[in-house]
Amino acid sequence: MTAQPSPSLSRRAAAELVGTAGLLVVVIGSGLKAAELSRDTGVALIANSFASAIGLGLIITIFGPLSGAHLNPVVTLTSWWSRRTGGQGLGGREALVYTVAQSAGAIGGALVADVMFGRTPGAFATQVRDGGHLLIGEVVATAGLVLLIQGLGRIGRSGLVPAAVAAYIAAAIWFTSSGSFANPAGTIGRSFSDSFTGIAPQSLPGFVGAQLVGGILGLALAAFLYGTGRGAGTGTGARYGSRFGRSAKAAPVDGASPAKVAYETVG
């Protein structure tokens, strides 16, 4: 079958922007609705984690064939690193464009969520999240996310990534002390909404730093456990190899072309 043309970088960046915005609308919006309907924090968190996991899985599924549905600068940076070490991934310019699009999308999504619920958009969050135990939680959450994506890519099971990432995030919201932000762009976006899922701006440096450390740790664990190679996963999203009826063994990849990649990767 004739290979489909690769989406341009501008289209892929638009997919990352819209996809990340959608993710923040889901995360913040479901948190606002949950807090509105229940004063029980546990019940609200159950609702928020459930909705966030479903929304994330759907967003990865729909935008994966376009951009890889990274939706997360850490995922994008691991993709860039994979390419530098001889695997599949993004070039430096692509990684920069993706990261800017994700950050802009996250902020936009936070503003849209507040507007939907009749709140003043752009009010910075006041919920301070500090303490070494929370930063350890972010390291663990992000390392686990990267290890999951990279591991599935290296064993040839990338088609499981949308469901696996969604399930992991739902679980990590509960088993980590930090609530598993695990996404620098998402963390920045959540600082623009003074809500149940928000984070005060003064807490951003610690959380983002912990996420970057977690990304490095996840990459190191993946390399140690699975080895390095061209089969490394580079995106959460579904650049499904079987898209349009092609085999998953189609041609080698460039940074983000669904016509040339078996599969690639939050947050």
Side-chain angles (χ1 to χ4, degrees):
M1 188 176 219
T2 302
Q4 299 294 314
S6 302
S8 64
L9 180 56
S10 60
R11 286 181 59 200
R12 287 185 276 140
E16 288 295 305
L17 187 150
V18 175
T20 310
L23 176 60
L24 268 291
V25 168
V26 170
V27 171
I28 295 175
S30 63
L32 289 169
K33 175 61 75 174
E36 180 182 288
L37 296 177
S38 176
R39 295 185 179 181
D40 186 315
T41 303
V43 172
L45 188 58
I46 289 173
N48 178 237
S49 59
F50 185 69
S52 297
I54 292 175
L56 176 59
L58 293 173
I59 290 168
I60 292 173
T61 299
I62 192 169
F63 290 110
L66 287 173
S67 67
H70 293 197
L71 315 175
N72 183 335
V74 168
V75 173
T76 294
L77 288 173
T78 60
S79 174
W80 169 78
W81 182 254
S82 292
R83 181 163 177 170
R84 282 183 59 87
T85 54
Q88 303 169 354
L90 298 176
R93 177 170 172 266
E94 292 171 307
L96 177 61
V97 171
Y98 268 44
T99 299
V100 171
Q102 292 155 0
S103 300
I107 295 171
L111 300 180
V112 169
D114 274 346
V115 170
M116 280 201 307
F117 284 87
R119 298 161 57 90
T120 302
F124 287 115
T126 56
Q127 186 171 352
V128 177
R129 301 176 188 261
D130 56 18
H133 65 295
L134 297 182
L135 301 184
I136 292 172
E138 276 302 284
V139 171
V140 170
T142 312
L145 176 63
V146 171
L147 177 60
L148 174 66
I149 295 165
Q150 290 284 319
L152 287 173
R154 293 170 195 237
I155 63 175
R157 303 300 297 275
S158 295
L160 297 177
V161 168
V165 168
Y168 174 81
I169 292 299
I173 287 172
W174 284 91
F175 74 70
T176 62
S177 57
S178 63
S180 185
F181 284 47
N183 182 337
T187 303
I188 292 170
R190 286 162 72 162
S191 72
F192 282 81
S193 176
D194 189 16
S195 61
F196 177 73
T197 57
I199 177 171
Q202 59 263 41
S203 300
L204 290 178
F207 263 57
V208 171
Q211 291 157 1
L212 295 175
V213 170
I216 294 170
L217 178 59
L219 270 177
L221 284 171
F224 176 74
L225 293 171
Y226 301 102
T228 58
R230 299 191 65 81
T234 56
T236 57
R239 296 213 216 163
Y240 299 104
S242 58
R243 185 175 179 245
F244 305 131
R246 294 191 309 279
S247 165
K249 296 181 180 178
V253 305
D254 70 349
S257 168
K260 299 179 181 177
V261 67
Y263 196 108
E264 288 192 349
T265 234
V266 151

